[in-house]
Amino acid sequence: MPVGGYGPALGPGKGYPGNLTLYVTVTCMVAAMGGLIFGYDIGISGGVTSMDSFLKKFFPNVYNKETADNSTNQYCKFNSQKLTMFTSSLYLAALTSSIVASTVTRTFGRKLSMLFGGVLFCAGALINGFAQHVWMLILGRILLGFGIGFANQSVPLYLSEMAPYKYRGTLNICFELLNTIGILVANVLNYSFAKIKGGWGWRLSLGGAVVPALIITIGALVLPETPNSMIERGKAAEAKAKLKQIRGIDDVEEEFLDLVAASEESKKVEHPWANLLQKKYRPHLTMAIMIPCFQQLTGINVIMYVNVGGTLVSIYVVVVAACIASKFGIHGEPGDLPKWYAIVVIFLDMLCHFKFGLFLFFAFWVVVMTIFIFFFLPETKNIPIEEMVIVWKEHWFWSKYMVDVDYPAGKGAGKGEGNGLHEPKNV
């Protein structure tokens, strides 16, 4: 039967002329530094919560439990609601701010949204670095979360709009790469700062987040705005000039007109949140929900610390469940536990209840995610953002939701007509 789960086979797509200029490359690399702030925080928060001096000052119950507990059960030693609040407050704040950030990004531009992200993250880092009480830690984490919400909203969009469509994926990977580099740097710094005599190294770890925050803040001040954003805010002439500059050619008329047309169409949408429930947006809404859900269910935030190598070679070579099971077993008794085990994984609430089975739970969702992505996520290579409706109309499954959606101007109504897309394969 026709399943076509391999996604549409893409040809060259719409051939906007243009080059990957040095100007765009440098611009996108600076913008991608926004990935550092998220990666650095992931790496730092896991490290400081294992520092005795940090636990003594802010979470003495956890420290006392860790030192006074004569049992060898390691699964529940960090199971603390207050400690969980410290770590999770950032993600809740990021979720909340992302809703506001979408409006700011659309109305006032990508640069301003990135600037907000950098400033908020900088403020949160300073509060955490000088924290004297738990409430200061949590307030700092909330501000960090607000900053991440703005940065994660604006930076990938900025990269996608600045990059020539043929290089969009490559330049967006820079954001993820900088994210993982931030994790690596944070863990190296944690290791070094933990050795500082006097037990104040955790302040350098938390306060050090100011550095990536300043990079994205200064970058937001000096980077150019995207042509898409200029058009959205009624600056068409400036947008065309900027498009010529970033593409390195004068012949940008076709791409410019498509950007204007896409902007005009978006302005016709009166109730965007309500419209998400319409049938024609079912594919987009499904992916917007499922991909982040899979990210959490597959345990990426737990195993982030070995992510740099994975980003570079696209393969994880760490079988965590086997490592945990071999050391901890069913009863949580590890015997002689190497110190690096505590760095690789977070021992919090789910680990306390699931034991090493937590990673088998993650493995199950990895399989589910792989099947879902293979069959239902279409390939977008060589498709300009303004033409993205094509991948949904030509998909074996999602096309039934797109019957009332027109093809972009210049595209045929038949599958594969003029755009290099082909019928789903019969298997």
Side-chain angles (χ1 to χ4, degrees):
M1 66 177 181
V3 296
Y6 317 103
L10 294 174
K14 190 167 187 175
Y16 294 139
N19 307 306
L20 180 60
T21 62
L22 178 62
Y23 179 76
V24 168
T25 302
V26 173
T27 296
C28 288
M29 286 302 297
V30 174
M33 292 293 177
L36 276 176
I37 65 176
F38 190 32
Y40 184 88
D41 180 79
I42 290 174
I44 285 297
S45 59
V48 296
T49 53
S50 64
M51 295 183 186
D52 287 346
S53 57
F54 179 79
L55 293 177
K56 284 181 184 179
K57 184 172 181 62
F58 298 106
F59 307 98
N61 290 337
V62 175
Y63 177 76
N64 293 334
K65 180 180 178 181
E66 179 185 9
T67 56
D69 189 359
N70 294 324
S71 73
T72 54
N73 190 322
Q74 300 291 305
Y75 285 117
C76 300
K77 61 186 295 186
F78 289 107
N79 187 24
S80 163
Q81 295 301 316
K82 188 184 295 185
L83 185 58
T84 300
M85 182 182 297
F86 165 73
T87 57
S88 63
S89 57
L90 178 143
Y91 302 103
L92 295 175
L95 174 64
T96 303
S97 67
S98 64
I99 300 174
V100 179
S102 64
T103 301
V104 173
T105 302
R106 182 176 62 254
T107 306
F108 300 104
R110 290 50 163 156
K111 277 167 55 78
L112 187 61
S113 188
M114 285 192 287
L115 180 63
F116 282 169
V119 170
L120 289 167
F121 199 87
C122 188
L126 289 174
I127 292 175
N128 275 351
F130 290 102
Q132 298 295 331
H133 306 283
V134 174
W135 69 263
M136 294 181 69
L137 282 180
I138 295 177
L139 175 61
R141 292 283 291 177
I142 290 174
L143 290 176
L144 292 174
F146 287 159
I148 287 174
F150 274 92
N152 280 6
Q153 170 71 226
S154 55
V155 172
L157 180 60
Y158 184 92
L159 294 174
S160 296
E161 293 179 347
M162 288 294 289
Y165 74 96
K166 291 183 291 186
Y167 302 100
R168 184 176 65 240
T170 300
L171 293 177
N172 262 296
I173 287 176
C174 292
F175 178 79
E176 175 64 19
L177 180 60
L178 267 296
N179 189 322
T180 57
I181 289 176
I183 297 171
L184 177 62
V185 170
N187 279 277
V188 172
L189 292 179
N190 271 338
Y191 179 79
S192 301
F193 293 154
K195 296 184 176 183
I196 295 178
K197 294 181 179 180
W200 52 274
W202 61 268
R203 293 191 181 276
L204 294 178
S205 292
L206 294 178
V210 167
V211 176
L214 287 177
I215 292 176
I216 190 62
T217 300
I218 296 172
L221 293 173
V222 300
L223 291 176
E225 189 57 273
T226 69
N228 308 60
S229 180
M230 292 179 179
I231 292 171
E232 286 179 355
R233 291 178 288 137
K235 300 178 180 180
E238 295 178 36
K240 190 171 185 179
K242 180 58 65 177
L243 189 61
K244 291 180 179 179
Q245 182 183 11
I246 65 178
R247 296 292 180 256
I249 59 173
D250 292 328
D251 182 18
V252 296
E253 191 67 22
E254 182 181 17
E255 183 175 3
F256 174 72
L257 292 178
D258 281 351
L259 292 178
V260 172
S263 178
E264 291 300 321
E265 285 297 317
S266 68
K267 290 178 181 178
K268 296 177 182 178
V269 179
E270 297 181 354
H271 306 289
W273 291 104
N275 288 344
L276 285 177
L277 301 179
Q278 293 182 13
K279 181 179 179 180
K280 62 181 179 181
Y281 295 121
R282 198 72 50 78
H284 317 71
L285 183 61
T286 300
M287 293 302 168
I289 293 174
M290 294 304 298
I291 292 177
C293 284
F294 282 133
Q295 181 178 355
Q296 301 305 314
L297 291 171
T298 54
I300 189 62
N301 285 345
V302 175
I303 200 64
M304 269 290 195
Y305 309 106
V306 294
N307 200 0
V308 173
T311 302
L312 295 174
V313 300
S314 301
I315 296 176
Y316 287 109
V317 293
V318 179
V319 184
V320 178
C323 294
I324 297 295
S326 64
K327 275 293 176 183
F328 291 84
I330 296 297
H331 303 292
E333 298 177 357
D336 295 327
L337 180 67
K339 191 172 182 178
W340 61 269
Y341 267 84
I343 300 175
V344 173
V345 297
I346 302 174
F347 298 114
L348 294 180
D349 191 60
M350 287 185 70
L351 186 62
C352 179
H353 290 86
F354 279 32
K355 300 181 173 61
F356 67 86
L358 174 62
F359 293 94
L360 300 179
F361 171 84
F362 291 153
F364 167 78
W365 284 107
V366 168
V367 173
V368 174
M369 178 188 68
T370 302
I371 295 173
F372 178 85
I373 295 299
F374 184 80
F375 285 104
F376 296 103
L377 182 65
E379 177 60 76
T380 60
K381 181 180 180 181
N382 290 336
I383 303 295
I385 296 176
E386 295 73 33
E387 309 288 330
M388 205 59 70
V389 65
I390 294 172
V391 301
W392 304 112
K393 287 187 70 69
E394 302 296 339
H395 192 267
W396 72 276
F397 181 80
W398 299 119
S399 58
K400 63 185 178 183
Y401 296 98
M402 308 294 291
V403 291
D404 296 327
V405 181
D406 294 330
Y407 275 83
K411 297 294 180 182
K415 287 181 179 281
E417 187 174 328
N419 53 36
L421 302 176
H422 306 295
E423 292 274 353
K425 297 179 180 179
N426 293 322
V427 295

